Amino acid sequence: MATARADTPSCSNQYPIPDRMKAWVLGGPEELSLVEKPVPQPGPAEVLVRIDAIAVCATDIEIIRHGVPAMIDGGLPFNRGFTPGHEYMGTVVKLGPTVDEFQIGDRVTVEVHAGCGRCQRCREGMYTSCLNYGFRAKGHRANGFSTDGGFAEYAVNNINTLAHIPDEMTDAEATLIVTAGTAMYGLDVMGGVIAGEGVVVIGPGPIGLMGVGVAKALGAQPVILTGTRDRRLEMGRRLGADAVVNVGREDPVEAVQRLTGGKGVQYVLECSGAPNALNEAARMVNRGGRVCLAAFPAEPVPVDLAYLVRNNIYVFGIRGEGKSATHRAAALMAQKRFDAKLIHTHTFPLAEVPTAIRYARERIEDAIKVVVQIR
Ligand SMILES: [Zn+2]
Ligand SMILES: [Zn+2]
């Protein structure tokens, strides 16, 4: 019966919910303080999530330092009592009116973006490109970007952004599902069959490494990872890469041609943001091949457009994890198709968020994913 849950209590004694919670908030640039905030209340189609763990992302570091790409009602997030953080998981502890898709006690991971649900892009499933991005009054939410994020004890989330996680998956591993979902979305937009097709991943950061795991789990052959750091490349091998190329020692385009018998690959997932990455990617794919950009250079860069046109190369760009790719990534991880846990390094408690962020920033060369364990 559709209305059955409307009669059931919307919270239980199993998870007593306080009125106030601890939350880190952003003052000016680089200024984080731990304060008490009211625990938010879920509306229709929303639940309250007790946050159990959150990973620190390079984008969080950007937001804390520069404000962008966070944007609240058209302005920067500084001095608005804004809580950053977007890669989190937790436990459902309270249901909003009409919610019967989740139950109290469910362990869930949280997708970053709930679009407005009313614009053309949201209706197409491209809610990471919502046309009402940042306008909360029109219903847009993006955790840690336009609405409060996860460096706190509780957060409200739309049910569309939640995915169940299996009991045996650790909290820390579950924080990586949204990262894997971003890589999955990159492969989705290229529209490939993937199984039996060649994929190059440029850049072994968290998204690139998850890209290797997802591409291999979908049956890509070969999966080639290129980068500059041996330790990360080795991690890529353990996540399923058939070959890795250290671009400091070998030209990556020549290496891909060598590894594919001169044929090149069908797809490149570009996760490095290196200035010449698109030009190199174009020469790694075969004629009619596809390139998806999931990272970007800090400055405008020259691109050999004539080469792209002459070779009918398609170029895509993604922001985040649209079309419920996070759910498909969660399914692969629940089936243990790759071991995402490999990319974790240190864990910190909630009281040490600034230390966790400093650690992630200072050790960006080798610290892949730092996790804050809140419960
Ligand atoms: Zn992130
Ligand atoms: Zn929208």
Coordinates of all heavy atoms in Angstrom, one line a residue, residues 132-227:
N132 N 19.3 25.4 -13.2 CA 19.1 26.2 -12.0 C 20.2 26.0 -11.0 O 19.9 26.1 -9.8 CB 17.7 25.9 -11.4 CG 16.6 26.4 -12.3 OD1 16.7 27.5 -12.8 ND2 15.6 25.6 -12.6
Y133 N 21.4 25.7 -11.4 CA 22.5 25.3 -10.5 C 22.7 26.4 -9.4 O 22.8 27.6 -9.8 CB 23.8 25.2 -11.3 CG 24.8 24.3 -10.5 CD1 24.9 23.0 -10.8 CD2 25.5 24.9 -9.5 CE1 25.8 22.2 -10.1 CE2 26.4 24.1 -8.8 CZ 26.6 22.7 -9.1 OH 27.4 22.0 -8.4
G134 N 22.6 26.0 -8.2 CA 22.9 27.0 -7.1 C 21.7 27.7 -6.6 O 21.8 28.4 -5.6
F135 N 20.6 27.6 -7.3 CA 19.4 28.3 -6.9 C 18.5 27.5 -6.0 O 17.7 26.7 -6.4 CB 18.6 28.9 -8.1 CG 19.4 30.0 -8.7 CD1 20.2 29.8 -9.8 CD2 19.4 31.3 -8.1 CE1 21.0 30.8 -10.3 CE2 20.1 32.3 -8.7 CZ 21.0 32.1 -9.7
R136 N 18.7 27.6 -4.7 CA 18.1 26.7 -3.7 C 16.6 26.8 -3.7 O 15.8 25.9 -3.5 CB 18.7 26.9 -2.3 CG 20.2 26.5 -2.4 CD 20.8 26.5 -1.0 NE 20.9 27.9 -0.5 CZ 21.5 28.2 0.6 NH1 21.9 27.3 1.4 NH2 21.6 29.5 1.0
A137 N 16.1 28.1 -3.9 CA 14.7 28.3 -3.9 C 14.0 27.6 -5.0 O 12.8 27.2 -4.9 CB 14.4 29.8 -4.0
K138 N 14.7 27.3 -6.1 CA 14.1 26.5 -7.1 C 14.3 25.0 -7.0 O 14.0 24.2 -7.8 CB 14.6 26.9 -8.5 CG 14.2 28.4 -8.8 CD 14.4 28.7 -10.3 CE 13.3 28.3 -11.2 NZ 13.4 28.8 -12.5
G139 N 14.8 24.6 -5.8 CA 14.9 23.2 -5.4 C 16.3 22.6 -5.7 O 16.5 21.4 -5.4
H140 N 17.2 23.4 -6.3 CA 18.5 22.8 -6.5 C 19.3 22.5 -5.3 O 19.3 23.3 -4.3 CB 19.4 23.7 -7.4 CG 20.7 23.1 -7.8 ND1 21.8 23.4 -7.0 CD2 21.1 22.2 -8.7 CE1 22.9 22.7 -7.5 NE2 22.4 22.0 -8.5
R141 N 20.0 21.3 -5.3 CA 20.9 20.9 -4.2 C 22.2 20.3 -4.7 O 22.1 19.5 -5.6 CB 20.3 19.9 -3.2 CG 19.0 20.3 -2.5 CD 18.6 19.1 -1.5 NE 19.8 18.7 -0.7 CZ 20.0 19.3 0.5 NH1 19.3 20.2 1.0 NH2 21.1 18.9 1.2
A142 N 23.3 20.7 -4.2 CA 24.5 20.0 -4.5 C 25.3 20.1 -3.2 O 25.8 21.1 -2.8 CB 25.3 20.6 -5.7
N143 N 25.5 18.9 -2.5 CA 26.1 18.9 -1.2 C 27.5 19.5 -1.2 O 28.3 19.1 -2.0 CB 26.2 17.4 -0.7 CG 24.9 16.7 -0.6 OD1 23.9 17.3 -0.3 ND2 24.9 15.4 -0.9
G144 N 27.8 20.4 -0.3 CA 29.1 21.0 -0.2 C 29.5 21.9 -1.4 O 30.6 22.4 -1.5
F145 N 28.5 22.2 -2.3 CA 28.7 23.2 -3.4 C 27.7 24.3 -3.3 O 28.0 25.5 -3.3 CB 28.6 22.5 -4.7 CG 29.8 21.6 -5.0 CD1 29.8 20.2 -4.7 CD2 30.9 22.1 -5.6 CE1 30.9 19.4 -5.0 CE2 32.0 21.3 -5.9 CZ 32.0 20.0 -5.6
S146 N 26.4 23.9 -3.2 CA 25.4 25.0 -3.1 C 24.5 24.8 -1.9 O 23.8 25.7 -1.5 CB 24.5 24.9 -4.4 OG 23.8 23.7 -4.5
T147 N 24.6 23.7 -1.2 CA 24.0 23.5 0.1 C 25.0 22.9 1.0 O 26.0 22.4 0.6 CB 22.8 22.5 -0.1 OG1 23.2 21.4 -0.8 CG2 21.6 23.2 -0.8
D148 N 24.6 22.8 2.3 CA 25.6 22.3 3.3 C 26.0 20.9 3.0 O 25.3 20.1 2.5 CB 24.9 22.3 4.7 CG 25.1 23.7 5.4 OD1 25.9 24.5 4.9 OD2 24.4 23.9 6.4
G149 N 27.3 20.7 3.3 CA 27.9 19.4 3.0 C 28.1 18.6 4.2 O 27.4 18.7 5.2
G150 N 29.1 17.7 4.1 CA 29.2 16.6 5.1 C 30.3 16.7 6.2 O 30.5 15.7 6.9
F151 N 31.0 17.8 6.3 CA 31.9 17.9 7.5 C 31.0 18.3 8.7 O 31.2 19.4 9.3 CB 33.0 18.8 7.2 CG 34.0 18.3 6.2 CD1 34.2 19.0 5.0 CD2 34.7 17.1 6.4 CE1 35.1 18.5 4.1 CE2 35.6 16.6 5.5 CZ 35.8 17.4 4.3
A152 N 30.1 17.4 9.1 CA 29.1 17.7 10.1 C 28.5 16.3 10.6 O 28.9 15.3 10.0 CB 28.0 18.6 9.6
E153 N 27.7 16.4 11.6 CA 27.1 15.1 12.1 C 25.9 14.6 11.3 O 25.6 13.4 11.3 CB 26.8 15.3 13.6 CG 28.1 15.4 14.4 CD 27.8 15.6 15.9 OE1 27.2 16.6 16.2 OE2 28.2 14.7 16.7
Y154 N 25.2 15.6 10.7 CA 23.9 15.2 10.0 C 23.8 16.0 8.8 O 24.3 17.2 8.7 CB 22.7 15.5 10.9 CG 22.6 14.6 12.1 CD1 23.1 15.0 13.3 CD2 22.0 13.4 12.1 CE1 23.1 14.2 14.5 CE2 21.9 12.6 13.2 CZ 22.4 13.0 14.4 OH 22.4 12.2 15.5
A155 N 23.0 15.5 7.8 CA 22.7 16.3 6.6 C 21.4 15.7 6.0 O 21.1 14.5 6.1 CB 23.8 16.2 5.5
V156 N 20.6 16.6 5.4 CA 19.4 16.2 4.7 C 19.7 15.9 3.3 O 20.6 16.6 2.7 CB 18.4 17.4 4.8 CG1 17.3 17.3 3.7 CG2 17.7 17.4 6.2
N157 N 19.1 14.9 2.7 CA 19.4 14.5 1.3 C 18.1 14.1 0.6 O 17.3 13.4 1.2 CB 20.4 13.4 1.2 CG 21.8 14.0 1.4 OD1 22.4 14.5 0.4 ND2 22.4 13.9 2.6
N158 N 18.0 14.4 -0.6 CA 16.9 13.9 -1.5 C 17.1 12.4 -1.7 O 18.2 12.0 -1.9 CB 16.9 14.7 -2.8 CG 15.7 14.4 -3.6 OD1 15.5 13.3 -4.2 ND2 14.8 15.3 -3.7
I159 N 16.0 11.7 -1.7 CA 16.1 10.2 -1.8 C 16.8 9.9 -3.2 O 17.4 8.8 -3.3 CB 14.7 9.5 -1.7 CG1 13.7 10.1 -2.7 CG2 14.2 9.6 -0.3 CD1 12.6 9.2 -3.0
N160 N 16.6 10.7 -4.2 CA 17.2 10.4 -5.5 C 18.8 10.4 -5.4 O 19.4 9.9 -6.4 CB 16.8 11.4 -6.5 CG 15.4 11.3 -6.9 OD1 14.8 10.1 -6.9 ND2 14.7 12.3 -7.3
T161 N 19.3 10.9 -4.4 CA 20.8 10.9 -4.3 C 21.4 9.8 -3.5 O 22.6 9.8 -3.2 CB 21.3 12.3 -3.8 OG1 20.8 12.4 -2.4 CG2 20.9 13.4 -4.6
L162 N 20.5 8.9 -3.0 CA 21.0 7.9 -2.0 C 21.1 6.5 -2.7 O 20.3 6.2 -3.5 CB 20.1 7.8 -0.9 CG 19.8 9.0 -0.1 CD1 18.8 8.7 1.0 CD2 21.0 9.6 0.5
A163 N 22.2 5.8 -2.4 CA 22.3 4.4 -2.9 C 22.6 3.5 -1.7 O 23.4 3.9 -0.8 CB 23.4 4.3 -3.9
H164 N 21.9 2.4 -1.6 CA 22.2 1.4 -0.5 C 23.6 0.8 -0.6 O 24.1 0.7 -1.7 CB 21.2 0.3 -0.6 CG 19.8 0.6 0.0 ND1 18.7 0.7 -0.8 CD2 19.4 0.9 1.3 CE1 17.7 1.0 0.0 NE2 18.1 1.2 1.2
I165 N 24.2 0.5 0.5 CA 25.5 -0.1 0.5 C 25.4 -1.4 1.3 O 24.6 -1.5 2.3 CB 26.6 0.8 1.0 CG1 26.2 1.4 2.3 CG2 26.9 1.9 0.0 CD1 27.3 2.3 2.9
P166 N 26.1 -2.4 0.9 CA 26.0 -3.7 1.6 C 26.7 -3.7 3.0 O 27.6 -2.9 3.2 CB 26.8 -4.7 0.7 CG 27.5 -3.9 -0.3 CD 27.0 -2.5 -0.3
D167 N 26.2 -4.5 3.9 CA 26.7 -4.5 5.3 C 28.2 -4.7 5.3 O 28.9 -4.1 6.2 CB 26.1 -5.7 6.1 CG 24.6 -5.4 6.3 OD1 24.2 -4.3 6.1 OD2 23.9 -6.4 6.6
E168 N 28.7 -5.6 4.4 CA 30.1 -5.9 4.5 C 31.1 -4.8 4.0 O 32.3 -4.9 4.2 CB 30.4 -7.3 3.9 CG 30.2 -7.4 2.4 CD 28.7 -7.7 2.1 OE1 27.8 -7.6 3.0 OE2 28.4 -8.1 0.9
M169 N 30.5 -3.8 3.3 CA 31.3 -2.7 2.8 C 31.7 -1.7 3.9 O 30.8 -1.3 4.6 CB 30.7 -2.0 1.6 CG 31.6 -1.0 0.9 SD 30.7 -0.1 -0.4 CE 30.6 -1.3 -1.7
T170 N 32.9 -1.4 4.1 CA 33.3 -0.4 5.1 C 32.8 1.0 4.8 O 32.6 1.3 3.7 CB 34.8 -0.4 5.4 OG1 35.4 0.2 4.2 CG2 35.4 -1.7 5.6
D171 N 32.7 1.8 5.9 CA 32.3 3.2 5.7 C 33.3 3.9 4.7 O 32.9 4.6 3.8 CB 32.4 3.9 7.0 CG 31.3 3.5 8.0 OD1 30.4 2.7 7.6 OD2 31.3 4.0 9.1
A172 N 34.6 3.7 4.9 CA 35.6 4.4 4.1 C 35.4 4.0 2.6 O 35.5 4.8 1.8 CB 37.0 4.0 4.6
E173 N 35.2 2.7 2.4 CA 35.1 2.3 1.0 C 33.9 2.9 0.4 O 33.9 3.4 -0.8 CB 35.0 0.8 0.9 CG 35.0 0.3 -0.6 CD 35.0 -1.2 -0.8 OE1 35.0 -1.9 0.3 OE2 35.1 -1.6 -1.9
A174 N 32.8 3.0 1.2 CA 31.5 3.5 0.6 C 31.7 5.0 0.2 O 30.9 5.5 -0.6 CB 30.4 3.4 1.6
T175 N 32.6 5.8 0.9 CA 32.8 7.2 0.5 C 33.3 7.3 -0.9 O 33.3 8.4 -1.5 CB 33.7 7.9 1.4 OG1 35.0 7.4 1.3 CG2 33.2 7.9 2.9
L176 N 33.9 6.2 -1.5 CA 34.5 6.3 -2.8 C 33.5 6.0 -3.9 O 33.8 6.0 -5.1 CB 35.6 5.2 -2.9 CG 36.9 5.7 -2.2 CD1 37.8 4.5 -1.9 CD2 37.6 6.7 -3.0
I177 N 32.3 5.6 -3.6 CA 31.3 5.2 -4.6 C 31.0 6.4 -5.5 O 30.9 6.2 -6.8 CB 30.0 4.6 -4.0 CG1 30.3 3.3 -3.3 CG2 28.9 4.5 -5.0 CD1 29.2 2.7 -2.6
V178 N 30.9 7.6 -5.0 CA 30.6 8.7 -5.8 C 31.7 9.0 -6.8 O 31.5 9.5 -7.9 CB 30.1 9.9 -5.0 CG1 31.3 10.6 -4.2 CG2 29.4 11.0 -5.8
T179 N 33.0 8.8 -6.3 CA 34.1 9.0 -7.2 C 34.1 8.0 -8.3 O 34.3 8.3 -9.5 CB 35.4 8.8 -6.4 OG1 35.4 9.6 -5.2 CG2 36.7 9.2 -7.2
A180 N 33.8 6.7 -8.0 CA 33.7 5.7 -9.0 C 32.5 6.0 -10.0 O 32.5 5.8 -11.2 CB 33.5 4.3 -8.4
G181 N 31.4 6.6 -9.4 CA 30.3 7.0 -10.2 C 30.6 8.1 -11.2 O 30.1 8.1 -12.3
T182 N 31.5 9.0 -10.9 CA 32.0 10.0 -11.8 C 32.7 9.4 -13.0 O 32.5 9.7 -14.1 CB 32.9 11.1 -11.1 OG1 32.1 11.6 -10.0 CG2 33.3 12.2 -12.0
A183 N 33.6 8.4 -12.7 CA 34.3 7.7 -13.7 C 33.3 6.9 -14.6 O 33.5 6.9 -15.8 CB 35.4 6.8 -13.1
M184 N 32.4 6.3 -14.0 CA 31.3 5.6 -14.7 C 30.6 6.5 -15.6 O 30.3 6.1 -16.8 CB 30.4 4.9 -13.7 CG 29.2 4.3 -14.3 SD 29.5 2.7 -15.1 CE 29.3 1.6 -13.7
Y185 N 30.2 7.7 -15.2 CA 29.5 8.6 -16.0 C 30.3 9.0 -17.2 O 29.8 9.2 -18.3 CB 29.1 9.9 -15.2 CG 28.2 10.8 -15.9 CD1 27.1 10.4 -16.6 CD2 28.4 12.2 -15.8 CE1 26.2 11.3 -17.2 CE2 27.6 13.1 -16.4 CZ 26.5 12.7 -17.1 OH 25.7 13.6 -17.7
G186 N 31.7 9.2 -17.0 CA 32.6 9.5 -18.1 C 32.5 8.4 -19.2 O 32.4 8.7 -20.4
L187 N 32.5 7.2 -18.8 CA 32.4 6.1 -19.8 C 31.0 6.1 -20.4 O 30.8 5.8 -21.6 CB 32.7 4.7 -19.1 CG 34.1 4.6 -18.6 CD1 34.3 3.3 -17.9 CD2 35.1 4.6 -19.8
D188 N 29.9 6.4 -19.6 CA 28.6 6.4 -20.1 C 28.4 7.4 -21.2 O 27.8 7.1 -22.3 CB 27.6 6.9 -19.0 CG 27.3 5.8 -18.0 OD1 27.7 4.6 -18.2 OD2 26.6 6.1 -17.0
V189 N 28.9 8.7 -21.0 CA 28.7 9.7 -22.0 C 29.4 9.4 -23.3 O 28.9 9.9 -24.4 CB 29.0 11.1 -21.5 CG1 28.2 11.5 -20.3 CG2 30.5 11.3 -21.3
M190 N 30.4 8.6 -23.3 CA 31.1 8.2 -24.5 C 30.3 7.2 -25.3 O 30.5 6.9 -26.4 CB 32.5 7.8 -24.3 CG 33.4 8.9 -23.9 SD 35.2 8.5 -23.9 CE 35.4 7.7 -22.3
G191 N 29.3 6.6 -24.6 CA 28.3 5.8 -25.3 C 28.9 4.5 -25.8 O 28.4 3.9 -26.8
G192 N 29.9 4.0 -25.2 CA 30.5 2.8 -25.7 C 29.9 1.5 -25.2 O 29.1 1.5 -24.3
V193 N 30.2 0.4 -25.9 CA 29.8 -1.0 -25.4 C 30.8 -1.4 -24.3 O 30.5 -2.1 -23.4 CB 29.9 -1.9 -26.6 CG1 29.6 -3.4 -26.1 CG2 28.9 -1.5 -27.7
I194 N 32.1 -0.8 -24.4 CA 33.1 -1.0 -23.4 C 33.7 -2.4 -23.4 O 34.9 -2.6 -23.6 CB 32.7 -0.6 -22.0 CG1 32.1 0.8 -22.0 CG2 33.9 -0.7 -21.0 CD1 33.0 1.9 -22.4
A195 N 32.9 -3.5 -23.2 CA 33.5 -4.8 -23.2 C 34.2 -5.1 -24.5 O 33.7 -4.9 -25.6 CB 32.4 -5.9 -23.1
G196 N 35.5 -5.5 -24.4 CA 36.3 -5.8 -25.5 C 36.9 -4.6 -26.2 O 37.6 -4.8 -27.2
E197 N 36.6 -3.4 -25.8 CA 37.1 -2.2 -26.4 C 38.3 -1.6 -25.6 O 38.3 -1.8 -24.3 CB 36.0 -1.2 -26.6 CG 34.9 -1.8 -27.5 CD 33.8 -0.8 -27.8 OE1 33.3 -0.1 -26.9 OE2 33.4 -0.7 -29.0
G198 N 39.2 -0.9 -26.2 CA 40.3 -0.4 -25.5 C 40.0 1.0 -24.9 O 39.4 1.8 -25.5
V199 N 40.5 1.1 -23.7 CA 40.3 2.4 -22.9 C 41.7 2.8 -22.4 O 42.4 2.0 -21.7 CB 39.4 2.2 -21.7 CG1 39.3 3.5 -20.9 CG2 38.0 1.8 -22.2
V200 N 42.0 4.1 -22.6 CA 43.2 4.7 -21.9 C 42.6 5.6 -20.8 O 41.7 6.4 -21.1 CB 44.1 5.5 -22.9 CG1 45.2 6.3 -22.1 CG2 44.8 4.6 -23.9
V201 N 43.2 5.6 -19.6 CA 42.9 6.5 -18.6 C 44.2 7.4 -18.4 O 45.2 6.8 -18.1 CB 42.5 5.8 -17.3 CG1 42.3 6.9 -16.2 CG2 41.2 5.0 -17.5
I202 N 44.0 8.7 -18.6 CA 45.2 9.6 -18.3 C 45.0 10.2 -16.9 O 44.0 10.8 -16.7 CB 45.2 10.7 -19.4 CG1 45.3 10.1 -20.8 CG2 46.4 11.7 -19.1 CD1 45.3 11.2 -21.9
G203 N 46.0 10.0 -16.1 CA 46.0 10.6 -14.8 C 45.5 9.7 -13.7 O 44.3 9.5 -13.5
P204 N 46.4 9.2 -12.8 CA 46.0 8.3 -11.8 C 45.6 9.0 -10.5 O 46.0 8.6 -9.4 CB 47.2 7.3 -11.6 CG 48.3 8.1 -12.1 CD 47.8 9.2 -13.0
G205 N 44.8 10.0 -10.5 CA 44.2 10.5 -9.3 C 43.0 9.6 -8.9 O 42.8 8.6 -9.5
P206 N 42.2 10.0 -7.9 CA 41.1 9.2 -7.5 C 40.1 8.8 -8.6 O 39.7 7.7 -8.7 CB 40.4 10.0 -6.4 CG 41.5 10.8 -5.8 CD 42.4 11.2 -7.0
I207 N 39.7 9.8 -9.4 CA 38.7 9.5 -10.5 C 39.4 8.6 -11.5 O 38.8 7.6 -12.0 CB 38.2 10.8 -11.1 CG1 37.4 11.6 -10.1 CG2 37.3 10.5 -12.3 CD1 36.9 13.0 -10.6
G208 N 40.6 8.9 -11.9 CA 41.3 8.1 -12.9 C 41.5 6.6 -12.4 O 41.2 5.7 -13.1
L209 N 41.9 6.5 -11.1 CA 42.1 5.1 -10.6 C 40.7 4.4 -10.6 O 40.6 3.2 -10.9 CB 42.7 5.2 -9.2 CG 44.2 5.5 -9.2 CD1 44.7 5.9 -7.8 CD2 45.0 4.4 -9.8
M210 N 39.7 5.1 -10.2 CA 38.3 4.4 -10.2 C 37.9 4.1 -11.6 O 37.2 3.1 -11.9 CB 37.3 5.3 -9.5 CG 37.5 5.5 -8.0 SD 37.3 3.9 -7.1 CE 39.0 3.4 -6.9
G211 N 38.3 5.0 -12.6 CA 38.0 4.8 -14.0 C 38.6 3.5 -14.5 O 38.0 2.7 -15.2
V212 N 39.9 3.2 -14.0 CA 40.5 1.9 -14.4 C 39.7 0.7 -13.8 O 39.4 -0.2 -14.6 CB 41.9 1.8 -13.8 CG1 42.5 0.4 -13.8 CG2 42.9 2.8 -14.5
G213 N 39.3 0.8 -12.6 CA 38.5 -0.3 -11.9 C 37.2 -0.5 -12.6 O 36.8 -1.6 -12.9
V214 N 36.5 0.6 -13.0 CA 35.2 0.5 -13.6 C 35.3 0.0 -15.0 O 34.6 -0.9 -15.4 CB 34.4 1.9 -13.6 CG1 33.2 1.9 -14.5 CG2 34.1 2.3 -12.2
A215 N 36.3 0.5 -15.8 CA 36.4 0.1 -17.2 C 36.7 -1.4 -17.3 O 36.2 -2.1 -18.1 CB 37.5 0.9 -17.9
K216 N 37.6 -1.8 -16.3 CA 38.0 -3.2 -16.4 C 36.8 -4.1 -15.9 O 36.6 -5.2 -16.5 CB 39.2 -3.5 -15.4 CG 40.0 -4.7 -15.7 CD 40.6 -4.6 -17.1 CE 40.8 -6.0 -17.7 NZ 41.2 -6.0 -19.1
A217 N 36.0 -3.6 -14.9 CA 34.9 -4.4 -14.5 C 33.8 -4.5 -15.6 O 33.1 -5.5 -15.6 CB 34.3 -3.7 -13.2
L218 N 33.8 -3.5 -16.5 CA 32.8 -3.6 -17.6 C 33.4 -4.4 -18.8 O 32.8 -4.4 -19.9 CB 32.5 -2.2 -18.1 CG 31.7 -1.3 -17.0 CD1 31.5 0.1 -17.5 CD2 30.4 -2.0 -16.6
G219 N 34.6 -4.9 -18.6 CA 35.2 -5.8 -19.7 C 36.0 -5.1 -20.7 O 36.3 -5.7 -21.7
A220 N 36.5 -3.9 -20.5 CA 37.3 -3.2 -21.5 C 38.7 -4.0 -21.6 O 39.1 -4.6 -20.6 CB 37.6 -1.8 -21.0
Q221 N 39.2 -3.9 -22.8 CA 40.4 -4.7 -23.1 C 41.1 -4.0 -24.3 O 40.5 -4.0 -25.4 CB 40.1 -6.1 -23.4 CG 41.3 -7.0 -23.8 CD 42.1 -7.4 -22.6 OE1 41.6 -7.4 -21.5 NE2 43.4 -7.7 -22.8
P222 N 42.4 -3.5 -24.2 CA 43.1 -3.4 -22.9 C 42.7 -2.1 -22.2 O 42.1 -1.2 -22.8 CB 44.5 -3.2 -23.4 CG 44.4 -2.5 -24.7 CD 43.1 -3.0 -25.3
V223 N 43.0 -2.0 -20.9 CA 42.9 -0.8 -20.1 C 44.3 -0.3 -19.8 O 45.1 -1.1 -19.2 CB 42.1 -1.0 -18.8 CG1 42.1 0.3 -17.9 CG2 40.7 -1.4 -19.1
I224 N 44.6 0.9 -20.3 CA 46.0 1.4 -20.1 C 45.9 2.7 -19.3 O 45.1 3.5 -19.6 CB 46.6 1.7 -21.5 CG1 46.6 0.5 -22.4 CG2 48.0 2.3 -21.4 CD1 46.9 0.7 -23.9
L225 N 46.8 2.7 -18.3 CA 46.8 3.9 -17.4 C 48.1 4.6 -17.6 O 49.2 4.0 -17.6 CB 46.7 3.5 -15.9 CG 46.8 4.6 -14.9 CD1 45.6 5.6 -14.9 CD2 46.8 3.9 -13.5
T226 N 48.0 6.0 -17.8 CA 49.3 6.8 -17.9 C 49.4 7.8 -16.8 O 48.3 8.3 -16.3 CB 49.3 7.5 -19.3 OG1 48.4 8.6 -19.3 CG2 49.0 6.6 -20.5
G227 N 50.6 8.1 -16.4 CA 50.8 9.1 -15.3 C 52.2 9.3 -15.0 O 53.1 8.7 -15.7

